[in-house]
Amino acid sequence: MPGENLSRDEARERAALLSVDGYDVALDLRSAIGGSETGTRTFRSVTTIRFRCNEPGAATFADLIAPSVTAVSLNGTDLDPSEVFDGSRIELEDLRAENELVVDAQCAYSRTGEGMHRFVDPEDGEVYLYTQYEPADARRVFANFEQPDLKAPYRMEVTAPEGWNAWSNGVGELVDGVWRFAETKPISTYITAFVAGPYHYVTDTYERIFEDGTRLTVPLGAMCRKGLARYFDSDDVFLVTKQGLDFFHDHFDYPYPFGKYDQAFVPEYNLGAMENPGLVTFREELIFRGKVTQASYERRANVILHEMAHMWFGDLVTMRWWDDLWLKESFADFMGSFSMVGATRFTDGWITFANNRKSWAYRADQLPSTHPITADIRDLEAAKLNFDGITYAKGASVLKQLVAYVGQDAFLEGARRYFKRHAYGNTELGDLLSALEETSGRDMGGWARSWLQTAGVNSLTPLATYNAEGRITELAVIQEAVESHPELRPHRVAVGLYRLSPDGELVRYARAETDVDGPRTVVAELAGEERPALILVNDDDLTYCKIRFDEGSLDTLRAHLGDLTDPLARALCWSAMWNLTRDALMPARDFIGLVLRFAGQESDIGVLQMLHAWARSALTHYSAPDWRAEGGRLVAQGALRELRLAEPGSEHQLTWARFFASVASADVDLQLLQGLLDGTAKIDGLDVDQELRWTFLEPLAAHGRADEAALGAELARDDTASGKRHQVRCLAARPSAAVKAQAWAQVVESDALSNALVEATIAGFAQPSQRELLPPYAPKYFAVLERVWEERSIQIAMHVVRGMFPALLDSPQTLADTDAWLASHADAAPALRRLVLEARDDLARVLRGQACDAGA
């Protein structure tokens, strides 16, 4: 893996030397079918690159990761592949002012989701292909200059097995047995794409007439494996797609620039989705095989719109290097929610953003690896790790505040100028700031220094004094920062005052917006108001901060959190309570008590699902070990109670059923799950479909109630790709030393499993009820880290390093072992050390939380 790295300095040097006029890429994918399933399977890749060099006589290199190269030709001169190709680079010397490079290579199909991924459907034996490149895996499919600022147009062609269809970024046509695709606009290597196979494909059309009378017609397509076709609700996908295109045309004033708009839902996908222009790829789990809640449909709509926003932020205008990854990801994350709320049926999307996306950001921003939104990305390995909660969710949160700071009209006008000024080009931070300064009239330099170029999250706490009549004499907002990241930032916030109504509801009766700047800011507008039961700083979620409470507000929430009538305010308070728990300022059992008391009143299904996830985490990680059994009993009882109380057939009932299964451990609870599976038990309205069956089977397997034969029988019932992933996870969850040894060997000592099955095995390996089986794997983990990092692809290595860390061995000894590894491996790959440091920090936080809970 280290030999495949590319540094920022190397990229800058090459970009200063070269400009690329175009690519011709021809792939022969007929080798995807037939032959043995063992060994390395390859395909032919022939690439012609036309490029210029502004220093004739200079040398550079092209990128290619391939098992072998058949031929290399530079300006008509044949080069010896054994002399110029080292497995990841092709050395090019004595360049001319104008050059043509031709590379004929045998590239490898992937089973890790990187490059050209090949999947064999167990249901019908059909083979499906797709590509995934970001940040730098196009070089696994064709020779190129793999960096975002060497954009070029592409002419692609694919020779595929008979009966297959093929897609790329441009419109395709089958001519004499070869798929030829229309030349693209200038784009970066990492967003070129191919999809090929017997996919189920449906079409539609988007049309738009602009004010000047011009008409835009965009062919729409959506595809999935044939085995998922019966579940594919393409009408809803097209509906959200058209709503998004309307919204972005209304707000961006720049017509969609890439011709067609295909969306491919593909198997064994590592990401949520990828914004390849004209051919967006998604994980196929966004096609739902069973009943799901509206939160799942909202999540899919958000992903569709996030990727669509990239057509402008990221594809049309692209960051120069990965330092400015935020220029596309932060904007797409913000625009995903902004457009979803403004254009679709999911009008409560900002609640999900506040409760879900920002919790990801808060966690990432408190890790030792936190970084400014505009990060220092020295190489590709660092870039791979920076697709994180800072770049996405914190960046989106900061942009949400920027809209409040400069105004929505000025913000969008700045975006419009940015697109038009830099179309098909590459940009840096200053390019966007200059456009925003023009449209807002504000100095963006200070804002950028505080929000984009420093790390860490501030805490905002209200401090109020009252007169004898019980009215506010002064209300101040206290801003704090941690010692390691002491920056105090300007915040545009709303402060809400809430009181209990006669019918017991907690309602807002006063609100003021203000600019918080420095350690103490007085909110003069609220002086004279009656004493509130709750003071909510950052009401309406305008800024990015950790919300804290005064003691009176905390007391109110302990008694009345579920009585808050405003769903966004309620979500913000839940998030703040969870942050208190993670910061060891609230005992885990107290947070669990709040969930058991008030979660049944939660109307927003996405918030409810987050509460369940947080409650599981509080129980598994943050509660004192000697209280876990009691806590588990209370949580399971509470979940079953709410399951039985939920409206039959409702999404709340389904959500409580899934939560109950995830915490069930007592004999009576496991018997109920078994009865729901075999039909001897029933809960009115609960439809136990295939997906829910697997949900119930995992705890049964983890507690020794479902053996290999039972899981095999279930796979026979659901002999699909999804069923196989579920079965593999359940097999690894069984409570046996032999099972754990086998799972460890499959993930760590072998590369036979695909990326999806590696993930499934890791997900089943460490079970909270099986801590006694895990001690042998802590020393093994630290012993193999460097070997795994060196030998496996970065995606699989990240899965192993994160997923197999002994987090459930939550003791000071594990912390000491982690510190010892870090101390003795100071020269390990920085990206590897980052992952271990993050796991170490999570463990230290857990131990502090357990100490807090033990003192409750």
Side-chain angles (χ1 to χ4, degrees), residues 213-250:
T214 59
R215 180 186 295 271
L216 174 69
T217 301
V218 180
L220 305 179
M223 70 194 81
C224 67
R225 289 185 296 112
K226 290 191 294 186
L228 287 176
R230 63 187 181 275
Y231 306 112
F232 193 21
D233 52 340
S234 56
D235 286 350
D236 192 51
V237 170
F238 286 138
L239 172 63
V240 173
T241 301
K242 292 176 183 179
Q243 290 170 331
L245 286 169
D246 272 339
F247 184 89
F248 291 129
H249 283 131
D250 288 342

Side-chain angles (χ1 to χ4, degrees), residues 371 445 573 582 725:
H371 55 85
C573 289
R582 291 189 73 248
R725 289 194 300 272

